[in-house]
mmCIF file with all atom_site columns, all heavy atoms in Angstrom:
data_model
loop_
_atom_site.group_PDB
_atom_site.id
_atom_site.type_symbol
_atom_site.label_atom_id
_atom_site.label_alt_id
_atom_site.label_comp_id
_atom_site.label_asym_id
_atom_site.label_entity_id
_atom_site.label_seq_id
_atom_site.pdbx_PDB_ins_code
_atom_site.Cartn_x
_atom_site.Cartn_y
_atom_site.Cartn_z
_atom_site.occupancy
_atom_site.B_iso_or_equiv
_atom_site.pdbx_formal_charge
_atom_site.auth_seq_id
_atom_site.auth_comp_id
_atom_site.auth_asym_id
_atom_site.auth_atom_id
_atom_site.pdbx_PDB_model_num
ATOM 1   N N   . PRO A 1 1  ? 102.928 99.405  132.718 1.00 42.00 ? 1  PRO A N   1
ATOM 2   C CA  . PRO A 1 1  ? 101.866 98.823  131.898 1.00 42.00 ? 1  PRO A CA  1
ATOM 3   C C   . PRO A 1 1  ? 101.462 97.459  132.399 1.00 42.00 ? 1  PRO A C   1
ATOM 4   O O   . PRO A 1 1  ? 102.240 96.764  133.051 1.00 42.00 ? 1  PRO A O   1
ATOM 5   C CB  . PRO A 1 1  ? 102.519 98.720  130.514 1.00 42.00 ? 1  PRO A CB  1
ATOM 6   C CG  . PRO A 1 1  ? 103.973 98.575  130.807 1.00 42.00 ? 1  PRO A CG  1
ATOM 7   C CD  . PRO A 1 1  ? 104.210 99.396  132.040 1.00 42.00 ? 1  PRO A CD  1
ATOM 8   N N   . PRO A 1 2  ? 100.225 97.030  132.120 1.00 42.00 ? 2  PRO A N   1
ATOM 9   C CA  . PRO A 1 2  ? 99.831  95.674  132.457 1.00 42.00 ? 2  PRO A CA  1
ATOM 10  C C   . PRO A 1 2  ? 100.569 94.684  131.594 1.00 42.00 ? 2  PRO A C   1
ATOM 11  O O   . PRO A 1 2  ? 101.155 95.045  130.575 1.00 42.00 ? 2  PRO A O   1
ATOM 12  C CB  . PRO A 1 2  ? 98.324  95.661  132.144 1.00 42.00 ? 2  PRO A CB  1
ATOM 13  C CG  . PRO A 1 2  ? 98.152  96.731  131.114 1.00 42.00 ? 2  PRO A CG  1
ATOM 14  C CD  . PRO A 1 2  ? 99.167  97.776  131.452 1.00 42.00 ? 2  PRO A CD  1
ATOM 15  N N   . THR A 1 3  ? 100.554 93.420  131.997 1.00 36.00 ? 3  THR A N   1
ATOM 16  C CA  . THR A 1 3  ? 101.257 92.395  131.251 1.00 36.00 ? 3  THR A CA  1
ATOM 17  C C   . THR A 1 3  ? 100.755 92.341  129.824 1.00 36.00 ? 3  THR A C   1
ATOM 18  O O   . THR A 1 3  ? 99.557  92.251  129.565 1.00 36.00 ? 3  THR A O   1
ATOM 19  C CB  . THR A 1 3  ? 101.061 91.021  131.915 1.00 36.00 ? 3  THR A CB  1
ATOM 20  O OG1 . THR A 1 3  ? 101.539 91.101  133.254 1.00 36.00 ? 3  THR A OG1 1
ATOM 21  C CG2 . THR A 1 3  ? 101.834 89.955  131.183 1.00 36.00 ? 3  THR A CG2 1
ATOM 22  N N   . GLY A 1 4  ? 101.673 92.372  128.841 1.00 46.00 ? 4  GLY A N   1
ATOM 23  C CA  . GLY A 1 4  ? 101.293 92.330  127.433 1.00 46.00 ? 4  GLY A CA  1
ATOM 24  C C   . GLY A 1 4  ? 101.469 90.948  126.874 1.00 46.00 ? 4  GLY A C   1
ATOM 25  O O   . GLY A 1 4  ? 101.646 89.968  127.594 1.00 46.00 ? 4  GLY A O   1
ATOM 26  N N   . ASP A 1 5  ? 101.447 90.871  125.538 1.00 44.00 ? 5  ASP A N   1
ATOM 27  C CA  . ASP A 1 5  ? 101.548 89.563  124.897 1.00 44.00 ? 5  ASP A CA  1
ATOM 28  C C   . ASP A 1 5  ? 102.991 89.171  124.607 1.00 44.00 ? 5  ASP A C   1
ATOM 29  O O   . ASP A 1 5  ? 103.253 88.098  124.069 1.00 44.00 ? 5  ASP A O   1
ATOM 30  C CB  . ASP A 1 5  ? 100.732 89.530  123.596 1.00 44.00 ? 5  ASP A CB  1
ATOM 31  C CG  . ASP A 1 5  ? 101.132 90.643  122.636 1.00 44.00 ? 5  ASP A CG  1
ATOM 32  O OD1 . ASP A 1 5  ? 102.213 91.239  122.832 1.00 44.00 ? 5  ASP A OD1 1
ATOM 33  O OD2 . ASP A 1 5  ? 100.370 90.893  121.693 1.00 44.00 ? 5  ASP A OD2 1
ATOM 34  N N   . GLY A 1 6  ? 103.939 90.051  124.944 1.00 45.00 ? 6  GLY A N   1
ATOM 35  C CA  . GLY A 1 6  ? 105.338 89.729  124.790 1.00 45.00 ? 6  GLY A CA  1
ATOM 36  C C   . GLY A 1 6  ? 105.866 89.882  123.383 1.00 45.00 ? 6  GLY A C   1
ATOM 37  O O   . GLY A 1 6  ? 107.029 89.600  123.120 1.00 45.00 ? 6  GLY A O   1
ATOM 38  N N   . GLN A 1 7  ? 105.037 90.342  122.454 1.00 49.00 ? 7  GLN A N   1
ATOM 39  C CA  . GLN A 1 7  ? 105.482 90.476  121.082 1.00 49.00 ? 7  GLN A CA  1
ATOM 40  C C   . GLN A 1 7  ? 106.357 91.721  120.926 1.00 49.00 ? 7  GLN A C   1
ATOM 41  O O   . GLN A 1 7  ? 106.111 92.755  121.534 1.00 49.00 ? 7  GLN A O   1
ATOM 42  C CB  . GLN A 1 7  ? 104.272 90.575  120.142 1.00 49.00 ? 7  GLN A CB  1
ATOM 43  C CG  . GLN A 1 7  ? 103.438 89.296  120.079 1.00 49.00 ? 7  GLN A CG  1
ATOM 44  C CD  . GLN A 1 7  ? 102.294 89.435  119.097 1.00 49.00 ? 7  GLN A CD  1
ATOM 45  O OE1 . GLN A 1 7  ? 102.018 90.510  118.588 1.00 49.00 ? 7  GLN A OE1 1
ATOM 46  N NE2 . GLN A 1 7  ? 101.626 88.338  118.837 1.00 49.00 ? 7  GLN A NE2 1
ATOM 47  N N   . GLU A 1 8  ? 107.406 91.586  120.127 1.00 58.00 ? 8  GLU A N   1
ATOM 48  C CA  . GLU A 1 8  ? 108.268 92.709  119.862 1.00 58.00 ? 8  GLU A CA  1
ATOM 49  C C   . GLU A 1 8  ? 107.587 93.651  118.864 1.00 58.00 ? 8  GLU A C   1
ATOM 50  O O   . GLU A 1 8  ? 106.824 93.223  118.005 1.00 58.00 ? 8  GLU A O   1
ATOM 51  C CB  . GLU A 1 8  ? 109.606 92.233  119.297 1.00 58.00 ? 8  GLU A CB  1
ATOM 52  C CG  . GLU A 1 8  ? 110.435 91.424  120.289 1.00 58.00 ? 8  GLU A CG  1
ATOM 53  C CD  . GLU A 1 8  ? 111.788 91.065  119.721 1.00 58.00 ? 8  GLU A CD  1
ATOM 54  O OE1 . GLU A 1 8  ? 112.061 91.453  118.563 1.00 58.00 ? 8  GLU A OE1 1
ATOM 55  O OE2 . GLU A 1 8  ? 112.555 90.401  120.430 1.00 58.00 ? 8  GLU A OE2 1
ATOM 56  N N   . THR A 1 9  ? 107.872 94.935  118.990 1.00 73.00 ? 9  THR A N   1
ATOM 57  C CA  . THR A 1 9  ? 107.297 95.916  118.086 1.00 73.00 ? 9  THR A CA  1
ATOM 58  C C   . THR A 1 9  ? 108.378 96.432  117.141 1.00 73.00 ? 9  THR A C   1
ATOM 59  O O   . THR A 1 9  ? 109.553 96.468  117.474 1.00 73.00 ? 9  THR A O   1
ATOM 60  C CB  . THR A 1 9  ? 106.693 97.096  118.866 1.00 73.00 ? 9  THR A CB  1
ATOM 61  O OG1 . THR A 1 9  ? 107.709 97.659  119.716 1.00 73.00 ? 9  THR A OG1 1
ATOM 62  C CG2 . THR A 1 9  ? 105.534 96.629  119.721 1.00 73.00 ? 9  THR A CG2 1
ATOM 63  N N   . THR A 1 10 ? 107.961 96.827  115.960 1.00 86.00 ? 10 THR A N   1
ATOM 64  C CA  . THR A 1 10 ? 108.891 97.363  114.978 1.00 86.00 ? 10 THR A CA  1
ATOM 65  C C   . THR A 1 10 ? 109.055 98.861  115.198 1.00 86.00 ? 10 THR A C   1
ATOM 66  O O   . THR A 1 10 ? 108.325 99.477  115.972 1.00 86.00 ? 10 THR A O   1
ATOM 67  C CB  . THR A 1 10 ? 108.369 97.106  113.563 1.00 86.00 ? 10 THR A CB  1
ATOM 68  O OG1 . THR A 1 10 ? 107.103 97.759  113.399 1.00 86.00 ? 10 THR A OG1 1
ATOM 69  C CG2 . THR A 1 10 ? 108.206 95.608  113.322 1.00 86.00 ? 10 THR A CG2 1
ATOM 70  N N   . ALA A 1 11 ? 110.014 99.447  114.486 1.00 93.00 ? 11 ALA A N   1
ATOM 71  C CA  . ALA A 1 11 ? 110.281 100.869 114.653 1.00 93.00 ? 11 ALA A CA  1
ATOM 72  C C   . ALA A 1 11 ? 109.197 101.733 114.026 1.00 93.00 ? 11 ALA A C   1
ATOM 73  O O   . ALA A 1 11 ? 109.087 102.915 114.350 1.00 93.00 ? 11 ALA A O   1
ATOM 74  C CB  . ALA A 1 11 ? 111.638 101.222 114.043 1.00 93.00 ? 11 ALA A CB  1
ATOM 75  N N   . SER A 1 12 ? 108.393 101.165 113.137 1.00 93.00 ? 12 SER A N   1
ATOM 76  C CA  . SER A 1 12 ? 107.370 101.937 112.447 1.00 93.00 ? 12 SER A CA  1
ATOM 77  C C   . SER A 1 12 ? 106.062 101.160 112.386 1.00 93.00 ? 12 SER A C   1
ATOM 78  O O   . SER A 1 12 ? 106.055 99.922  112.396 1.00 93.00 ? 12 SER A O   1
ATOM 79  C CB  . SER A 1 12 ? 107.810 102.273 111.019 1.00 93.00 ? 12 SER A CB  1
ATOM 80  O OG  . SER A 1 12 ? 108.973 103.064 111.026 1.00 93.00 ? 12 SER A OG  1
ATOM 81  N N   . TYR A 1 13 ? 104.965 101.898 112.334 1.00 95.00 ? 13 TYR A N   1
ATOM 82  C CA  . TYR A 1 13 ? 103.659 101.298 112.111 1.00 95.00 ? 13 TYR A CA  1
ATOM 83  C C   . TYR A 1 13 ? 103.492 101.019 110.615 1.00 95.00 ? 13 TYR A C   1
ATOM 84  O O   . TYR A 1 13 ? 104.096 101.693 109.776 1.00 95.00 ? 13 TYR A O   1
ATOM 85  C CB  . TYR A 1 13 ? 102.548 102.221 112.593 1.00 95.00 ? 13 TYR A CB  1
ATOM 86  C CG  . TYR A 1 13 ? 102.555 102.434 114.081 1.00 95.00 ? 13 TYR A CG  1
ATOM 87  C CD1 . TYR A 1 13 ? 103.099 103.593 114.638 1.00 95.00 ? 13 TYR A CD1 1
ATOM 88  C CD2 . TYR A 1 13 ? 102.023 101.485 114.941 1.00 95.00 ? 13 TYR A CD2 1
ATOM 89  C CE1 . TYR A 1 13 ? 103.121 103.795 116.010 1.00 95.00 ? 13 TYR A CE1 1
ATOM 90  C CE2 . TYR A 1 13 ? 102.036 101.678 116.314 1.00 95.00 ? 13 TYR A CE2 1
ATOM 91  C CZ  . TYR A 1 13 ? 102.582 102.830 116.851 1.00 95.00 ? 13 TYR A CZ  1
ATOM 92  O OH  . TYR A 1 13 ? 102.614 103.015 118.202 1.00 95.00 ? 13 TYR A OH  1
ATOM 93  N N   . THR A 1 14 ? 102.658 100.058 110.297 1.00 94.00 ? 14 THR A N   1
ATOM 94  C CA  . THR A 1 14 ? 102.413 99.712  108.904 1.00 94.00 ? 14 THR A CA  1
ATOM 95  C C   . THR A 1 14 ? 101.316 100.600 108.330 1.00 94.00 ? 14 THR A C   1
ATOM 96  O O   . THR A 1 14 ? 100.211 100.644 108.880 1.00 94.00 ? 14 THR A O   1
ATOM 97  C CB  . THR A 1 14 ? 101.987 98.234  108.782 1.00 94.00 ? 14 THR A CB  1
ATOM 98  O OG1 . THR A 1 14 ? 103.021 97.403  109.322 1.00 94.00 ? 14 THR A OG1 1
ATOM 99  C CG2 . THR A 1 14 ? 101.742 97.856  107.336 1.00 94.00 ? 14 THR A CG2 1
ATOM 100 N N   . PRO A 1 15 ? 101.590 101.332 107.243 1.00 94.00 ? 15 PRO A N   1
ATOM 101 C CA  . PRO A 1 15 ? 100.546 102.172 106.643 1.00 94.00 ? 15 PRO A CA  1
ATOM 102 C C   . PRO A 1 15 ? 99.375  101.321 106.144 1.00 94.00 ? 15 PRO A C   1
ATOM 103 O O   . PRO A 1 15 ? 99.553  100.192 105.685 1.00 94.00 ? 15 PRO A O   1
ATOM 104 C CB  . PRO A 1 15 ? 101.270 102.849 105.466 1.00 94.00 ? 15 PRO A CB  1
ATOM 105 C CG  . PRO A 1 15 ? 102.723 102.758 105.794 1.00 94.00 ? 15 PRO A CG  1
ATOM 106 C CD  . PRO A 1 15 ? 102.879 101.468 106.547 1.00 94.00 ? 15 PRO A CD  1
ATOM 107 N N   . THR A 1 16 ? 98.183  101.878 106.245 1.00 94.00 ? 16 THR A N   1
ATOM 108 C CA  . THR A 1 16 ? 96.988  101.232 105.729 1.00 94.00 ? 16 THR A CA  1
ATOM 109 C C   . THR A 1 16 ? 96.229  102.242 104.873 1.00 94.00 ? 16 THR A C   1
ATOM 110 O O   . THR A 1 16 ? 96.579  103.429 104.814 1.00 94.00 ? 16 THR A O   1
ATOM 111 C CB  . THR A 1 16 ? 96.065  100.747 106.861 1.00 94.00 ? 16 THR A CB  1
ATOM 112 O OG1 . THR A 1 16 ? 95.495  101.891 107.531 1.00 94.00 ? 16 THR A OG1 1
ATOM 113 C CG2 . THR A 1 16 ? 96.834  99.897  107.867 1.00 94.00 ? 16 THR A CG2 1
ATOM 114 N N   . ALA A 1 17 ? 95.184  101.776 104.242 1.00 93.00 ? 17 ALA A N   1
ATOM 115 C CA  . ALA A 1 17 ? 94.390  102.669 103.394 1.00 93.00 ? 17 ALA A CA  1
ATOM 116 C C   . ALA A 1 17 ? 93.825  103.838 104.199 1.00 93.00 ? 17 ALA A C   1
ATOM 117 O O   . ALA A 1 17 ? 93.636  104.937 103.662 1.00 93.00 ? 17 ALA A O   1
ATOM 118 C CB  . ALA A 1 17 ? 93.254  101.884 102.736 1.00 93.00 ? 17 ALA A CB  1
ATOM 119 N N   . ARG A 1 18 ? 93.581  103.627 105.487 1.00 93.00 ? 18 ARG A N   1
ATOM 120 C CA  . ARG A 1 18 ? 92.998  104.686 106.306 1.00 93.00 ? 18 ARG A CA  1
ATOM 121 C C   . ARG A 1 18 ? 94.048  105.624 106.886 1.00 93.00 ? 18 ARG A C   1
ATOM 122 O O   . ARG A 1 18 ? 93.702  106.711 107.369 1.00 93.00 ? 18 ARG A O   1
ATOM 123 C CB  . ARG A 1 18 ? 92.158  104.087 107.437 1.00 93.00 ? 18 ARG A CB  1
ATOM 124 C CG  . ARG A 1 18 ? 90.934  103.342 106.957 1.00 93.00 ? 18 ARG A CG  1
ATOM 125 C CD  . ARG A 1 18 ? 89.932  103.112 108.063 1.00 93.00 ? 18 ARG A CD  1
ATOM 126 N NE  . ARG A 1 18 ? 90.411  102.202 109.106 1.00 93.00 ? 18 ARG A NE  1
ATOM 127 C CZ  . ARG A 1 18 ? 89.662  101.758 110.104 1.00 93.00 ? 18 ARG A CZ  1
ATOM 128 N NH1 . ARG A 1 18 ? 88.398  102.157 110.213 1.00 93.00 ? 18 ARG A NH1 1
ATOM 129 N NH2 . ARG A 1 18 ? 90.144  100.920 111.012 1.00 93.00 ? 18 ARG A NH2 1
ATOM 130 N N   . THR A 1 19 ? 95.307  105.215 106.900 1.00 94.00 ? 19 THR A N   1
ATOM 131 C CA  . THR A 1 19 ? 96.330  106.052 107.532 1.00 94.00 ? 19 THR A CA  1
ATOM 132 C C   . THR A 1 19 ? 97.239  106.757 106.525 1.00 94.00 ? 19 THR A C   1
ATOM 133 O O   . THR A 1 19 ? 98.132  107.500 106.929 1.00 94.00 ? 19 THR A O   1
ATOM 134 C CB  . THR A 1 19 ? 97.205  105.218 108.484 1.00 94.00 ? 19 THR A CB  1
ATOM 135 O OG1 . THR A 1 19 ? 97.887  104.198 107.746 1.00 94.00 ? 19 THR A OG1 1
ATOM 136 C CG2 . THR A 1 19 ? 96.366  104.592 109.581 1.00 94.00 ? 19 THR A CG2 1
ATOM 137 N N   . VAL A 1 20 ? 97.015  106.537 105.234 1.00 92.00 ? 20 VAL A N   1
ATOM 138 C CA  . VAL A 1 20 ? 97.781  107.249 104.205 1.00 92.00 ? 20 VAL A CA  1
ATOM 139 C C   . VAL A 1 20 ? 96.963  108.466 103.777 1.00 92.00 ? 20 VAL A C   1
ATOM 140 O O   . VAL A 1 20 ? 95.873  108.321 103.221 1.00 92.00 ? 20 VAL A O   1
ATOM 141 C CB  . VAL A 1 20 ? 98.078  106.347 102.998 1.00 92.00 ? 20 VAL A CB  1
ATOM 142 C CG1 . VAL A 1 20 ? 98.772  107.148 101.904 1.00 92.00 ? 20 VAL A CG1 1
ATOM 143 C CG2 . VAL A 1 20 ? 98.936  105.159 103.411 1.00 92.00 ? 20 VAL A CG2 1
ATOM 144 N N   . PRO A 1 21 ? 97.466  109.688 104.029 1.00 87.00 ? 21 PRO A N   1
ATOM 145 C CA  . PRO A 1 21 ? 96.687  110.881 103.684 1.00 87.00 ? 21 PRO A CA  1
ATOM 146 C C   . PRO A 1 21 ? 96.574  111.071 102.178 1.00 87.00 ? 21 PRO A C   1
ATOM 147 O O   . PRO A 1 21 ? 97.456  110.667 101.411 1.00 87.00 ? 21 PRO A O   1
ATOM 148 C CB  . PRO A 1 21 ? 97.484  112.027 104.328 1.00 87.00 ? 21 PRO A CB  1
ATOM 149 C CG  . PRO A 1 21 ? 98.883  111.509 104.423 1.00 87.00 ? 21 PRO A CG  1
ATOM 150 C CD  . PRO A 1 21 ? 98.755  110.034 104.656 1.00 87.00 ? 21 PRO A CD  1
ATOM 151 N N   . THR A 1 22 ? 95.497  111.698 101.757 1.00 86.00 ? 22 THR A N   1
ATOM 152 C CA  . THR A 1 22 ? 95.311  111.973 100.328 1.00 86.00 ? 22 THR A CA  1
ATOM 153 C C   . THR A 1 22 ? 96.039  113.241 99.916  1.00 86.00 ? 22 THR A C   1
ATOM 154 O O   . THR A 1 22 ? 96.329  113.437 98.737  1.00 86.00 ? 22 THR A O   1
ATOM 155 C CB  . THR A 1 22 ? 93.820  112.113 99.994  1.00 86.00 ? 22 THR A CB  1
ATOM 156 O OG1 . THR A 1 22 ? 93.246  113.140 100.826 1.00 86.00 ? 22 THR A OG1 1
ATOM 157 C CG2 . THR A 1 22 ? 93.085  110.802 100.256 1.00 86.00 ? 22 THR A CG2 1
ATOM 158 N N   . ARG A 1 23 ? 96.348  114.131 100.890 1.00 85.00 ? 23 ARG A N   1
ATOM 159 C CA  . ARG A 1 23 ? 97.091  115.354 100.612 1.00 85.00 ? 23 ARG A CA  1
ATOM 160 C C   . ARG A 1 23 ? 98.256  115.459 101.590 1.00 85.00 ? 23 ARG A C   1
ATOM 161 O O   . ARG A 1 23 ? 98.179  115.038 102.723 1.00 85.00 ? 23 ARG A O   1
ATOM 162 C CB  . ARG A 1 23 ? 96.199  116.599 100.749 1.00 85.00 ? 23 ARG A CB  1
ATOM 163 C CG  . ARG A 1 23 ? 95.046  116.640 99.756  1.00 85.00 ? 23 ARG A CG  1
ATOM 164 C CD  . ARG A 1 23 ? 94.231  117.922 99.900  1.00 85.00 ? 23 ARG A CD  1
ATOM 165 N NE  . ARG A 1 23 ? 94.987  119.102 99.474  1.00 85.00 ? 23 ARG A NE  1
ATOM 166 C CZ  . ARG A 1 23 ? 95.431  120.037 100.304 1.00 85.00 ? 23 ARG A CZ  1
ATOM 167 N NH1 . ARG A 1 23 ? 95.203  119.932 101.598 1.00 85.00 ? 23 ARG A NH1 1
ATOM 168 N NH2 . ARG A 1 23 ? 96.092  121.082 99.846  1.00 85.00 ? 23 ARG A NH2 1
ATOM 169 N N   . GLY A 1 24 ? 99.330  116.051 101.136 1.00 83.00 ? 24 GLY A N   1
ATOM 170 C CA  . GLY A 1 24 ? 100.492 116.247 101.994 1.00 83.00 ? 24 GLY A CA  1
ATOM 171 C C   . GLY A 1 24 ? 101.119 114.949 102.451 1.00 83.00 ? 24 GLY A C   1
ATOM 172 O O   . GLY A 1 24 ? 101.528 114.830 103.606 1.00 83.00 ? 24 GLY A O   1
ATOM 173 N N   . ARG A 1 25 ? 101.216 113.977 101.560 1.00 86.00 ? 25 ARG A N   1
ATOM 174 C CA  . ARG A 1 25 ? 101.758 112.671 101.951 1.00 86.00 ? 25 ARG A CA  1
ATOM 175 C C   . ARG A 1 25 ? 103.201 112.770 102.431 1.00 86.00 ? 25 ARG A C   1
ATOM 176 O O   . ARG A 1 25 ? 103.639 111.943 103.230 1.00 86.00 ? 25 ARG A O   1
ATOM 177 C CB  . ARG A 1 25 ? 101.670 111.695 100.780 1.00 86.00 ? 25 ARG A CB  1
ATOM 178 C CG  . ARG A 1 25 ? 100.247 111.310 100.404 1.00 86.00 ? 25 ARG A CG  1
ATOM 179 C CD  . ARG A 1 25 ? 100.223 110.130 99.447  1.00 86.00 ? 25 ARG A CD  1
ATOM 180 N NE  . ARG A 1 25 ? 98.864  109.751 99.095  1.00 86.00 ? 25 ARG A NE  1
ATOM 181 C CZ  . ARG A 1 25 ? 98.538  108.645 98.442  1.00 86.00 ? 25 ARG A CZ  1
ATOM 182 N NH1 . ARG A 1 25 ? 99.503  107.803 98.072  1.00 86.00 ? 25 ARG A NH1 1
ATOM 183 N NH2 . ARG A 1 25 ? 97.292  108.375 98.148  1.00 86.00 ? 25 ARG A NH2 1
ATOM 184 N N   . GLU A 1 26 ? 103.921 113.774 101.948 1.00 89.00 ? 26 GLU A N   1
ATOM 185 C CA  . GLU A 1 26 ? 105.313 113.910 102.351 1.00 89.00 ? 26 GLU A CA  1
ATOM 186 C C   . GLU A 1 26 ? 105.449 114.292 103.823 1.00 89.00 ? 26 GLU A C   1
ATOM 187 O O   . GLU A 1 26 ? 106.525 114.151 104.414 1.00 89.00 ? 26 GLU A O   1
ATOM 188 C CB  . GLU A 1 26 ? 106.022 114.963 101.472 1.00 89.00 ? 26 GLU A CB  1
ATOM 189 C CG  . GLU A 1 26 ? 105.645 116.395 101.742 1.00 89.00 ? 26 GLU A CG  1
ATOM 190 C CD  . GLU A 1 26 ? 104.295 116.824 101.151 1.00 89.00 ? 26 GLU A CD  1
ATOM 191 O OE1 . GLU A 1 26 ? 103.647 115.981 100.486 1.00 89.00 ? 26 GLU A OE1 1
ATOM 192 O OE2 . GLU A 1 26 ? 103.907 117.982 101.376 1.00 89.00 ? 26 GLU A OE2 1
ATOM 193 N N   . ARG A 1 27 ? 104.367 114.752 104.425 1.00 93.00 ? 27 ARG A N   1
ATOM 194 C CA  . ARG A 1 27 ? 104.397 115.121 105.841 1.00 93.00 ? 27 ARG A CA  1
ATOM 195 C C   . ARG A 1 27 ? 103.998 113.968 106.760 1.00 93.00 ? 27 ARG A C   1
ATOM 196 O O   . ARG A 1 27 ? 104.084 114.083 107.979 1.00 93.00 ? 27 ARG A O   1
ATOM 197 C CB  . ARG A 1 27 ? 103.469 116.308 106.093 1.00 93.00 ? 27 ARG A CB  1
ATOM 198 C CG  . ARG A 1 27 ? 103.915 117.583 105.387 1.00 93.00 ? 27 ARG A CG  1
ATOM 199 C CD  . ARG A 1 27 ? 102.907 118.698 105.567 1.00 93.00 ? 27 ARG A CD  1
ATOM 200 N NE  . ARG A 1 27 ? 103.352 119.901 104.863 1.00 93.00 ? 27 ARG A NE  1
ATOM 201 C CZ  . ARG A 1 27 ? 102.569 120.943 104.611 1.00 93.00 ? 27 ARG A CZ  1
ATOM 202 N NH1 . ARG A 1 27 ? 101.300 120.926 105.009 1.00 93.00 ? 27 ARG A NH1 1
ATOM 203 N NH2 . ARG A 1 27 ? 103.054 122.004 103.970 1.00 93.00 ? 27 ARG A NH2 1
ATOM 204 N N   . ALA A 1 28 ? 103.535 112.882 106.180 1.00 94.00 ? 28 ALA A N   1
ATOM 205 C CA  . ALA A 1 28 ? 103.084 111.744 106.980 1.00 94.00 ? 28 ALA A CA  1
ATOM 206 C C   . ALA A 1 28 ? 104.279 110.938 107.481 1.00 94.00 ? 28 ALA A C   1
ATOM 207 O O   . ALA A 1 28 ? 105.317 110.841 106.825 1.00 94.00 ? 28 ALA A O   1
ATOM 208 C CB  . ALA A 1 28 ? 102.156 110.854 106.174 1.00 94.00 ? 28 ALA A CB  1
ATOM 209 N N   . SER A 1 29 ? 104.128 110.376 108.661 1.00 94.00 ? 29 SER A N   1
ATOM 210 C CA  . SER A 1 29 ? 105.165 109.522 109.244 1.00 94.00 ? 29 SER A CA  1
ATOM 211 C C   . SER A 1 29 ? 104.495 108.397 110.011 1.00 94.00 ? 29 SER A C   1
ATOM 212 O O   . SER A 1 29 ? 103.427 108.580 110.610 1.00 94.00 ? 29 SER A O   1
ATOM 213 C CB  . SER A 1 29 ? 106.067 110.323 110.184 1.00 94.00 ? 29 SER A CB  1
ATOM 214 O OG  . SER A 1 29 ? 106.971 109.474 110.868 1.00 94.00 ? 29 SER A OG  1
ATOM 215 N N   . TYR A 1 30 ? 105.140 107.244 109.998 1.00 95.00 ? 30 TYR A N   1
ATOM 216 C CA  . TYR A 1 30 ? 104.644 106.086 110.732 1.00 95.00 ? 30 TYR A CA  1
ATOM 217 C C   . TYR A 1 30 ? 105.662 105.650 111.774 1.00 95.00 ? 30 TYR A C   1
ATOM 218 O O   . TYR A 1 30 ? 105.587 104.547 112.305 1.00 95.00 ? 30 TYR A O   1
ATOM 219 C CB  . TYR A 1 30 ? 104.335 104.953 109.744 1.00 95.00 ? 30 TYR A CB  1
ATOM 220 C CG  . TYR A 1 30 ? 103.372 105.416 108.670 1.00 95.00 ? 30 TYR A CG  1
ATOM 221 C CD1 . TYR A 1 30 ? 103.848 105.940 107.473 1.00 95.00 ? 30 TYR A CD1 1
ATOM 222 C CD2 . TYR A 1 30 ? 102.002 105.416 108.893 1.00 95.00 ? 30 TYR A CD2 1
ATOM 223 C CE1 . TYR A 1 30 ? 102.981 106.420 106.513 1.00 95.00 ? 30 TYR A CE1 1
ATOM 224 C CE2 . TYR A 1 30 ? 101.128 105.904 107.946 1.00 95.00 ? 30 TYR A CE2 1
ATOM 225 C CZ  . TYR A 1 30 ? 101.619 106.405 106.757 1.00 95.00 ? 30 TYR A CZ  1
ATOM 226 O OH  . TYR A 1 30 ? 100.747 106.901 105.811 1.00 95.00 ? 30 TYR A OH  1
ATOM 227 N N   . ASP A 1 31 ? 106.588 106.564 112.084 1.00 96.00 ? 31 ASP A N   1
ATOM 228 C CA  . ASP A 1 31 ? 107.632 106.292 113.065 1.00 96.00 ? 31 ASP A CA  1
ATOM 229 C C   . ASP A 1 31 ? 107.016 106.159 114.456 1.00 96.00 ? 31 ASP A C   1
ATOM 230 O O   . ASP A 1 31 ? 106.325 107.064 114.938 1.00 96.00 ? 31 ASP A O   1
ATOM 231 C CB  . ASP A 1 31 ? 108.662 107.421 113.049 1.00 96.00 ? 31 ASP A CB  1
ATOM 232 C CG  . ASP A 1 31 ? 109.781 107.191 114.038 1.00 96.00 ? 31 ASP A CG  1
ATOM 233 O OD1 . ASP A 1 31 ? 110.678 106.390 113.768 1.00 96.00 ? 31 ASP A OD1 1
ATOM 234 O OD2 . ASP A 1 31 ? 109.725 107.813 115.128 1.00 96.00 ? 31 ASP A OD2 1
#
């Protein structure tokens, strides 16, 4: 990869209003 900003990443993405499904929420993952 090209040089990044050096920031560490977490194990999961942060859910947002656009990434939380309206149906089947139990199948969603942010891992």
Side-chain angles (χ1 to χ4, degrees):
T3 302
D5 55 16
Q7 294 182 351
E8 294 184 0
T9 56
T10 61
S12 298
Y13 294 100
T14 301
T16 69
R18 294 197 293 187
T19 62
V20 175
T22 56
R23 297 182 69 250
R25 292 192 179 190
E26 73 282 358
R27 295 175 181 166
S29 173
Y30 305 92
D31 181 77

